[in-house]
Amino acid sequence: MKKYTYTEKKDTRSGFGDGLTELGQTNPNVVALCADLTGSLKMNEFAENHPERFYQVGIAEANMIGIAAGLTIGGKIPFTGTFANFSTGRVYDQIRQSVAYSDKNVKICASHAGLTLGEDGATHQILEDLGLMKMLPGMTVINTCDYSQTKAATLAIAEYEGPVYLRFGRPKVPVFMTDQPFEIGKAIQLTKGNDVTIVATGHLVWEALQAAEQLETKGITAEVINIHTIKPLDEEAILKSVAKTGCVVTAEEHNKYGGLGESVARCLVTNNPTPQEFVAVNDSFGESATPDQLMKKYGLNDEAIIKAVEKVISRK
């Protein structure tokens, strides 16, 4: 099995910031809007280099979405930036009516998602956002795993016509997807295996790779698939893998209701019913602690994935 290594850790939000900076230089139609969190979203460089294309709307997220929708009418490609909690839950009506229903070319870019927001606590650790956004007709939903993939996704969505939700995070995580091609809606198979399929997204992709290495020492070969696009889901890649392995574990930093796991379950039950186990938050809010403490307590790490693999294999 190919072993993935890394030489540095970087936050995925910096991948967004660097991608946006590059777009500022290469695409004159790209504009950016922020709800008083320019530094946290790493949008500073774009704002400094292109002040005429940057809109600081203040703590007025609903207004930001409305402005972004309006800007598309003139051919602009607006990227909105704030925390995932404020990017979705706070402005869901505006997104539904002004962006999704109207099919506006708005890129909703959301940082500080999931438990890894850490010490800010449950009120800011949104674990429902993927479900909220994937249920909107026509909305593309992307959840990236590292700095490189986030930058690549930022560049890709500028070329894509239609509303997009791009989710990323605050903590520094291993950079291991360098030079990997990024195609919206196309899964990336990271390892080959015959015993179990591990379908992971976001920060759980690295944990899945670590789990796969440890499972190999137990004689279990795992096929790890990086699902960066939650919607549209690459059903072909999933079905091809489970046809070989006969069971699947899904892993995500999200509530088990409404996230990647449920999308995979729907895919399987309508095509090839297969034993599945979920590594996700078990229908609860988070709490205040370090990201590592939270990921361990809520079962979102390599150890939890290994347990889920052993359980699902026993069900084959």
Side-chain angles (χ1 to χ4, degrees):
M1 183 182 75
K2 178 180 178 181
K3 288 184 169 33
Y4 284 80
T5 58
Y6 67 94
T7 57
E8 63 176 335
K9 289 186 176 183
K10 296 179 76 171
D11 47 327
T12 49
R13 60 178 171 160
S14 287
F16 165 69
D18 289 349
L20 188 63
T21 297
E22 185 172 325
L23 287 172
Q25 300 164 350
T26 60
N27 193 330
N29 285 323
V30 168
V31 297
L33 304 87
C34 190
D36 201 36
L37 288 166
T38 312
S40 293
L41 270 289
K42 304 295 182 180
M43 301 172 82
N44 312 62
E45 198 166 345
F46 183 96
E48 292 166 4
N49 293 339
H50 312 284
E52 76 287 356
R53 290 156 58 192
F54 179 77
Y55 304 89
Q56 176 57 266
V57 302
I59 305 174
E61 293 86 356
N63 193 35
M64 177 174 69
I65 295 297
I67 294 170
L71 285 165
T72 66
I73 297 172
K76 300 303 180 185
I77 307 170
F79 282 65
T80 67
T82 185
F83 290 176
N85 195 25
F86 309 142
S87 287
T88 56
R90 179 171 288 183
V91 295
Y92 197 67
D93 180 58
Q94 284 73 24
I95 293 172
R96 183 181 186 274
Q97 309 290 46
S98 299
V99 178
Y101 177 69
S102 304
D103 194 30
K104 292 294 189 289
N105 192 30
V106 175
K107 316 305 174 185
I108 301 165
C109 304
S111 183
H112 294 57
L115 289 176
T116 47
L117 179 51
E119 291 85 351
D120 283 12
T123 57
H124 284 51
Q125 296 162 349
I126 193 161
L127 295 164
E128 313 89 55
D129 54 318
L130 295 178
L132 286 169
M133 300 306 282
K134 78 175 188 179
M135 285 190 294
L136 290 170
M139 181 69 68
T140 293
V141 180
I142 298 172
N143 183 39
T144 51
C145 68
D146 74 350
Y147 165 88
S148 295
Q149 191 169 79
T150 309
K151 182 179 179 181
T154 304
L155 299 175
I157 65 175
E159 301 299 319
Y160 174 81
E161 183 68 29
V164 175
Y165 178 60
L166 174 62
R167 182 198 212 229
F168 42 91
R170 179 172 76 173
K172 292 183 178 180
V173 294
V175 180
F176 61 97
M177 293 293 292
T178 308
D179 300 324
Q180 285 275 358
F182 183 91
E183 183 180 347
I184 295 172
K186 195 71 174 174
I188 302 172
Q189 182 179 313
L190 299 179
T191 68
K192 292 183 179 180
N194 297 308
D195 300 314
V196 63
T197 300
I198 304 176
V199 178
T201 188
H203 294 141
L204 270 293
V205 176
W206 177 255
E207 298 298 324
L209 288 171
Q210 301 313 295
E213 285 191 20
Q214 295 172 59
L215 286 165
E216 192 174 31
T217 66
K218 300 183 178 186
I220 298 171
T221 60
E223 194 147 283
V224 178
I225 299 177
N226 176 351
I227 295 286
H228 50 70
T229 307
I230 308 295
K231 181 187 175 187
L233 184 68
D234 190 346
E235 296 189 357
E236 182 180 351
I238 295 166
L239 292 169
K240 180 180 177 181
S241 180
V242 299
K244 177 174 58 171
T245 64
C247 61
V248 62
V249 169
T250 51
E252 60 191 310
E253 188 183 348
H254 190 269
N255 194 332
K256 69 177 182 180
Y257 296 110
L260 170 66
E262 282 202 343
S263 288
V264 172
R266 178 192 51 77
C267 168
L268 296 175
V269 78
T270 55
N271 291 280
N272 181 17
T274 306
Q276 177 180 350
E277 290 294 329
F278 296 73
V279 173
V281 175
N282 188 21
D283 195 28
S284 73
F285 292 99
E287 60 187 293
S288 181
T290 67
D292 286 344
Q293 288 172 332
L294 290 167
M295 296 292 269
K296 182 174 182 179
K297 178 174 179 177
Y298 288 83
L300 303 181
N301 56 17
D302 56 350
E303 182 181 344
I305 293 172
I306 290 170
K307 288 181 180 178
V309 165
E310 292 172 341
K311 183 176 180 181
V312 82
I313 286 176
S314 72
R315 294 172 52 203
K316 282 205 284 185

